[in-house]
Amino acid sequence: MPASKPQPLLAYLEVTKRRTFAMALDWPGWGRAGKTPEAALAALADYATRYAAAAEKAGVPFAADVAGQIRVTEEVAGNATTEFGAPAVFASGDADPWGGEEAARAAALLRGAWAVLDGTAASAPAELRKGPRGGGRDRDKMVDHVLAAECSYARKIGVKVRQPALTDAAAIADMRQQILAVVERPAPDGLVVARGWPVRYAVRRIAWHALDHAWEMEDRSDRTGT
């Protein structure tokens, strides 16, 4: 019996003149940017092994070599947020019905992204190496920034909570659980709040933001003392 062909990695491109994001459609949080579409797709492929850690924590089977089978499903025009440095535009399929196995899998991968962030923050030094231009948040300010963003993102799917304090593990867990409760709930048209975000996009954006800063934290941690 012939071996089955590897499934392609479905991705869409969010394009502006100065920056492009390549976002994996079926793997929330796996998305990278580049100055051109080609650079963004190359970066997406390069991060396959790093994304594998989130999938492993989620308990979702993942083959890193899927990055060699990228298939772009569509290109969408980016906006000022895209150029600033965050994915901001919905894919056409984000309005499709949401629920069932897809929702359960996405919730698991979001948990995996949070687990990567938490684990990275726990092992990172309080003071991180400065970025290429001498800037960048240190560890606690970075985690606090992620919490603030998640509090804002949560409102886009109907979850209204105050930003948890960095040291309040119970409040952080409660906010995440409220987000997950929405993610796991069916949404016939992908939306749970009028003029909000489709759940599919919300999971993608929340997981991307958590992993993006976890990976930044890893890259800027001085574990060798040099």
Side-chain angles (χ1 to χ4, degrees):
M1 189 173 184
S4 59
K5 292 183 179 180
Q7 294 297 310
L9 170 63
L10 304 181
Y12 75 100
L13 299 177
E14 184 176 323
V15 183
T16 70
K17 290 182 178 179
R18 299 176 183 173
R19 190 190 303 266
T20 293
F21 273 93
M23 305 297 295
L25 284 166
D26 299 327
W27 298 97
W30 190 8
R32 302 313 296 160
K35 290 183 178 180
T36 65
E38 294 77 15
L41 288 167
L44 185 72
D46 286 345
Y47 272 69
T49 53
R50 296 182 83 168
Y51 186 81
E56 181 180 3
K57 290 183 180 297
V60 176
F62 179 81
D65 60 0
V66 72
Q69 305 288 331
I70 299 176
R71 179 160 70 84
V72 176
T73 61
E74 67 177 316
E75 291 189 16
V76 297
N79 57 25
T81 301
T82 314
E83 292 211 339
F84 179 75
V89 180
F90 308 152
S92 60
D94 289 347
D96 290 345
W98 174 260
E101 292 183 4
E102 181 185 12
R105 179 177 177 276
L109 288 166
L110 180 53
R111 289 188 185 96
W114 281 329
V116 169
L117 175 67
D118 294 345
T120 302
S123 63
E127 186 174 343
L128 301 174
R129 285 197 297 266
K130 299 303 180 186
R133 297 180 179 83
R137 302 176 181 89
D138 283 326
R139 182 196 63 199
D140 290 352
K141 287 187 176 180
M142 192 182 299
V143 175
D144 193 57
H145 161 73
V146 173
L147 292 172
E150 287 178 357
C151 185
S152 176
Y153 299 160
R155 293 187 177 92
K156 300 291 188 179
I157 54 172
V159 175
K160 297 180 180 179
V161 292
R162 291 185 177 181
Q163 180 186 341
L166 184 65
T167 56
D168 193 340
I172 294 171
D174 179 69
M175 179 179 72
R176 289 175 175 177
Q177 189 53 48
Q178 289 190 58
I179 292 171
L180 288 168
V182 175
V183 171
E184 293 171 330
R185 194 163 66 227
D189 60 357
L191 279 171
V192 292
V193 177
R195 296 185 295 278
W197 284 353
V199 180
R200 198 174 273 104
Y201 170 80
V203 177
R204 190 183 307 130
R205 176 71 175 270
I206 295 169
W208 169 82
H209 196 234
L211 288 175
D212 188 59
H213 283 295
W215 294 334
E216 179 190 356
M217 208 180 301
E218 288 177 355
D219 292 342
R220 294 176 52 220
S221 291
D222 188 357
R223 295 192 174 97
T224 64
T226 58

